[in-house]
Amino acid sequence: MKTNLLEFDLDALAAFCAQLGEQRFRATQLFRWIHQRGASDFGAMSDLAKALRSKLEGCARVEALPLISEQAASDGTLKWLFDVRDGNAVEAVFIPEDDRGTLCVSSQAGCAVGCRFCSTGHQGFSRNLTAGEIVAQLWFAEHSLRKRFGTAERVITNLVMMGMGEPLQNYSALIPALRVMLDDHGYGLSRRRVTVSTSGVVPMLDRLAQDCPVALAVSLHAPNDPLRDKLVPLNRKYPIHELLQACKRYLVHAPRDFITFEYCMLDGVNDQLAQARELIDLVRGAEIRCKFNLIPFNPFPASGLLRSTQNQLLAFAKVLSDAGIVTTVRRTRGDDIDAACGQLAGDVRDRTRAALRIARQRTIELKPVA
Ligand code: SAH
Ligand code: SF4
């Protein structure tokens, strides 16, 4: 089987080229052809020596994931479904805005964390994506968008690891993939414009701070452990206090001077004003610089949960911002093609019975007692 060069960050590609008897600058040229120009045909890489091109043809390939479907929403959001074999498929979403273009990328086929309000979580977990499968989403999206828009300029300016999967539970693939995104010879995205979103895998937060400190979003969703235990089961392993301490340690290395807390607004579950006040005490107590991003819950039938009303959402946001905490409400994009947060479902052959566990949990009462 020929090696797919999308698997490699620049150092790994240089090592691969060294095995072929080539110097590092050749690897750099090759890397630029692949990621900056979107080339996959070695024969067309005109400044590489003929001998190298034919060596590469013999042992390497640059191959995107098979595309199953492409959907465009009325607001310009685009969603792709990619085949990652064995009956699994993952999704990536492009969200155009006036001043930026954001790509949301998947890190796993399914997710083992099993959050109550997340459609990926309900599907269970099949497997980690490889670094190449993560990078392939960006490679394909960037170069097909350039064709679509008829431009040679960069289209994707921001990248968020907010698709399917928990990126910090696929750490060994995440790091090389992030390096390709950040590399000046690759996509040249600054660390501020690449965001890892996590449900709170505490030990891996410390490693990320050392290895590749990009912008961080933490899915908080609850102001206390009893509720967070139910919504984000990983909380039982890494409770809120430990998570906040890890966030503080991360801030020392982070490219921004705050952490973004994501908070999915669930009607009657975590959206009460008393809970907003509890959040204020929580982040003040931990002395952590943060912003809140409130995400209107995107319902899917199996969740049994409802989106907070707009009034409740705004009142909740006001309590936080009156306390001096910068609070934004995420605009829902790509609604009509199920491309909004938490709706990415792809197709997952569950191998962990997570789907079954969640189905059982569905009987847990989440409404707070009035
Ligand atoms: N596993 C990571 C990243 C993927 S989820 C994480 O949990 O952070 C990206 C964001 O979408 C998370 O903040 C997640 O909590 C949120 N999300 C999941 N399901 C959602 C839903 N149904 N509606 C709105 N947001 C949701
Ligand atoms: Fe996994 Fe994130 Fe969904 Fe939770 S919200 S199940 S961590 S993808």
Side-chain angles (χ1 to χ4, degrees):
M1 183 78 160
K2 292 181 182 178
T3 307
N4 191 351
L5 301 185
L6 293 181
E7 294 292 340
F8 295 147
D9 61 17
L10 185 51
D11 283 347
L13 188 64
F16 181 81
C17 287
Q19 283 174 357
L20 301 177
E22 298 290 337
Q23 291 182 345
R24 187 178 173 102
F25 80 97
R26 290 294 179 203
T28 305
Q29 282 178 309
L30 179 55
F31 196 76
R32 293 172 67 104
W33 272 109
I34 297 171
H35 296 291
Q36 298 191 339
R37 320 255 315 242
S40 55
D41 174 8
F42 299 120
M45 300 182 181
S46 47
D47 58 357
L48 297 184
K50 269 226 170 74
L52 171 57
R53 285 190 253 163
S54 59
K55 267 192 261 181
L56 288 169
E57 268 155 17
C59 67
R61 64 197 162 103
V62 180
E63 201 170 298
L65 295 169
L67 181 66
I68 298 172
S69 65
E70 177 180 85
Q71 283 175 280
S74 50
D75 65 4
T77 301
L78 281 168
K79 180 169 88 165
W80 298 279
L81 180 67
F82 297 105
D83 182 358
V84 289
R85 299 191 314 276
D86 308 322
N88 294 307
V90 299
E91 294 182 319
V93 178
F94 175 68
I95 305 140
E97 285 171 281
D98 293 342
D99 58 340
R100 68 180 85 175
T102 303
L103 185 72
C104 175
V105 165
S106 293
S107 58
Q108 299 180 309
C111 182
V113 177
C115 298
R116 194 31 222 276
F117 48 83
C118 171
S119 137
T120 304
H122 275 251
Q123 291 188 302
F125 175 69
S126 178
R127 70 166 173 90
N128 282 328
L129 298 187
T130 67
E133 288 170 330
I134 298 173
V135 169
Q137 298 169 60
L138 170 58
W139 185 74
F140 174 87
E142 174 65 37
H143 297 292
S144 73
L145 287 168
R146 282 188 203 176
K147 278 191 208 110
R148 193 184 184 100
F149 299 144
T151 175
E153 303 287 306
R154 177 199 293 187
V155 178
I156 295 166
T157 60
N158 293 63
L159 191 135
V160 294
M161 298 296 306
M162 294 188 186
M164 299 166 66
E166 169 48 58
L168 294 187
Q169 288 189 337
N170 184 13
Y171 194 77
S172 61
L174 176 68
I175 295 300
L178 291 177
R179 290 199 172 125
V180 175
M181 297 166 191
L182 301 181
D183 201 307
D184 283 339
H185 300 295
Y187 297 87
L189 297 171
S190 77
R191 291 193 291 129
R192 304 163 62 91
R193 288 174 175 269
V194 175
T195 301
V196 166
S197 173
T198 180
S199 55
V201 190
V202 165
M204 292 300 149
L205 277 173
D206 288 318
R207 287 186 57 187
L208 187 66
Q210 295 302 323
D211 294 337
C212 200
V214 294
L216 184 67
V218 171
S219 295
L220 192 57
H221 307 310
N224 57 56
D225 285 323
L227 181 57
R228 194 164 190 272
D229 282 349
K230 287 182 191 160
L231 295 175
V232 185
L234 194 66
N235 195 66
R236 295 180 211 138
K237 196 160 180 191
Y238 306 114
I240 293 178
H241 174 74
E242 283 180 33
L243 178 56
L244 295 185
Q245 291 310 309
C247 289
K248 266 179 93 165
R249 294 193 295 276
Y250 193 89
L251 275 173
V252 177
H253 306 272
R256 296 174 184 267
D257 60 0
F258 60 88
I259 302 276
T260 303
F261 287 125
E262 295 165 279
Y263 198 94
C264 177
M265 297 292 287
L266 302 164
D267 179 41
V269 173
N270 66 354
D271 67 348
Q272 303 299 299
L273 301 189
Q275 288 165 318
R277 289 188 283 270
E278 218 182 325
L279 280 176
I280 296 165
D281 291 343
L282 188 71
V283 298
R284 280 198 182 142
E287 294 180 332
I288 186 160
R289 283 189 308 276
C290 62
K291 289 188 181 174
F292 270 84
N293 189 216
L294 306 181
I295 316 175
F297 170 59
N298 292 304
F300 54 99
S303 71
L305 297 164
L306 296 173
R307 179 186 285 190
S308 302
T309 63
Q310 185 71 1
N311 278 347
Q312 191 64 23
L313 196 146
L314 295 177
F316 194 94
K318 185 168 185 306
V319 173
L320 293 176
S321 46
D322 283 352
I325 301 174
V326 176
T327 304
T328 51
V329 176
R330 188 174 296 173
R331 253 200 317 156
T332 294
R333 298 290 304 263
D335 242 349
D336 47 340
I337 55 168
D338 283 350
C341 299
Q343 289 185 321
L344 301 190
D347 213 338
V348 176
R349 296 283 162 263
D350 181 24
R351 299 198 296 124
T352 60
R353 299 167 70 82
L356 190 68
R357 280 200 308 278
I358 296 193
R360 291 210 183 102
Q361 283 171 17
R362 230 167 273 152
T363 53
I364 297 175
E365 188 56 66
L366 277 175
K367 292 247 175 199
V369 210

